[in-house]
Amino acid sequence: MKIAAEIYRPLYLNQAPILYTDRRTAELIKYAANAFLATKITFINEIADLCERVGANVQEVARGIGFDNRIGSKFLHAGPGFGGSCFPKDVRALIKTAQDHDVPLRILEAVETVNDTRKRAMARKVSSAFAGVLRGKTVAVLGLTFKPNTDDMREAPSISLITALQDMGAKVRAYDPVGMEQAQQVLTDVTYCQGPYDCVEEADAVVIMTEWEQFRALDLERVRDLMACPVMVDLRNVYHPDDMKRHGFAYTCVGRAPTHPPVNVYVPPNRAESLSRAFSP
């Protein structure tokens, strides 16, 4: 312990924030911290669903409550649910530990259930743009890893989304800057593409699944013109609805007002027929 304290000492002018505790307490600190963050994510995701129904903006709600120092602004970004190697595993581990000792953790049990359900439910945001019918439609998915700047596909929300889209009869094209090799081990019957514009070409809808920097500054006019039908489902709220409306997209996001098709949808030259087919059941 003295060695650890000495290593961290130069990093702080005052005493380093080191807590000395026993092994069981240390284990629970780690599990409880990640479970609490997972709970924050799940909470704002459910608030996003409510925002969509009542006409509120989840980003402004998150910003508003984040101003409260007791809450903080971190982990309040609505999206398709959490994944990765830590949050799902640690939530399950804490629930299992509690069950082994006859201590109910109802909040965390709900967090796990809500998050698992949410991942597949995101496919309904895509199907709703086509009157609930995706059979025969081509969906381009941008981003596969559970977060940017990693190739980690462990429990990535994209897995549940893509399998749900395939169950609905959609053909799926996908691109991720670094995660496609890992994705191919868990996702089959997917056409993996060389870049974002290659991925969206002739697609009936595009889904932004992971907020990679490459997807935050797309040439929207190029994307629109390449697509068979300009429908975007933005599960990370990368773009602003007004901007997407101005560029002629039917745009759906999370916890904010969508722009519904076919109103304000740009029809590329010679594609009126394909657009009509896309929005027909």
Side-chain angles (χ1 to χ4, degrees):
M1 291 189 293
K2 291 182 178 180
I3 294 174
E6 185 60 25
I7 291 173
Y8 281 95
R9 182 193 57 76
L11 301 179
Y12 298 89
L13 292 176
N14 205 338
Q15 184 177 359
I18 298 177
L19 173 65
Y20 298 99
T21 186
D22 60 83
R23 179 179 62 83
R24 290 188 180 276
T25 302
E27 183 178 359
L28 278 182
I29 288 172
K30 195 262 188 180
Y31 286 161
N34 279 343
F36 184 80
L37 296 177
T39 302
K40 284 188 74 173
I41 293 171
T42 305
F43 174 80
I44 200 63
N45 282 341
E46 291 209 308
I47 293 297
D49 292 341
L50 180 60
C51 285
E52 291 177 10
R53 292 296 183 92
V54 303
N57 185 323
V58 72
Q59 289 182 311
E60 293 177 2
V61 171
R63 189 163 179 257
I65 65 177
F67 283 143
D68 188 328
N69 291 331
R70 297 169 300 175
I71 297 173
S73 60
K74 301 293 186 181
F75 294 88
L76 288 177
H77 299 289
F82 61 80
S85 61
C86 290
F87 286 5
K89 171 179 63 65
D90 288 358
V91 168
R92 284 195 295 267
L94 195 51
I95 291 172
K96 181 62 168 60
T97 300
Q99 290 173 342
D100 289 345
H101 292 82
D102 296 321
V103 178
L105 294 182
R106 300 293 183 236
I107 292 175
L108 290 188
E109 290 171 3
V111 165
E112 182 181 36
T113 300
V114 169
N115 189 65
D116 289 344
T117 302
R118 184 174 189 80
K119 292 177 182 180
R120 284 186 65 87
M122 292 296 100
R124 290 199 292 272
K125 282 187 172 289
V126 184
S127 66
S128 65
F130 301 97
V133 179
L134 281 180
R135 185 161 302 281
K137 303 293 191 298
T138 298
V139 180
V141 178
L142 297 181
L144 296 169
T145 55
F146 83 96
K147 68 178 182 178
N149 305 314
T150 181
D151 67 350
D152 198 338
M153 285 293 299
R154 285 175 288 184
E155 303 206 40
S158 64
I159 299 172
S160 298
L161 172 86
I162 288 174
T163 54
L165 292 174
Q166 292 172 330
D167 289 345
M168 294 178 183
K171 302 173 185 177
V172 178
R173 299 164 59 87
Y175 170 72
D176 188 281
V178 301
M180 290 194 290
E181 183 177 348
Q182 296 296 324
Q184 290 175 32
Q185 299 178 25
V186 293
L187 289 168
T188 58
D189 298 321
V190 174
T191 301
Y192 293 96
C193 303
Q194 298 301 310
Y197 300 106
D198 176 40
C199 187
V200 304
E201 188 169 3
E202 293 300 327
D204 296 299
V206 57
V207 180
I208 296 183
M209 195 69 203
T210 312
E211 64 276 33
W212 285 91
E213 289 184 1
Q214 294 92 323
F215 306 148
R216 298 183 187 184
L218 293 170
D219 182 338
L220 294 177
E221 291 189 4
R222 182 180 177 187
V223 170
R224 179 195 67 196
D225 291 347
L226 284 170
M227 295 180 70
C229 183
V231 173
M232 178 179 286
V233 181
D234 182 359
L235 298 182
R236 297 293 182 174
N237 290 344
V238 171
Y239 293 101
H240 194 280
D242 289 342
D243 292 336
M244 300 307 291
K245 181 178 180 180
R246 188 172 64 252
H247 282 91
F249 282 87
Y251 178 73
T252 299
C253 46
V254 177
R256 302 181 301 178
T259 61
H260 292 289
V263 179
N264 297 318
V265 173
Y266 171 84
V267 183
N270 303 320
R271 285 190 176 166
E273 182 179 350
S274 65
L275 182 64
S276 176
R277 279 201 312 271
F279 288 128
S280 299

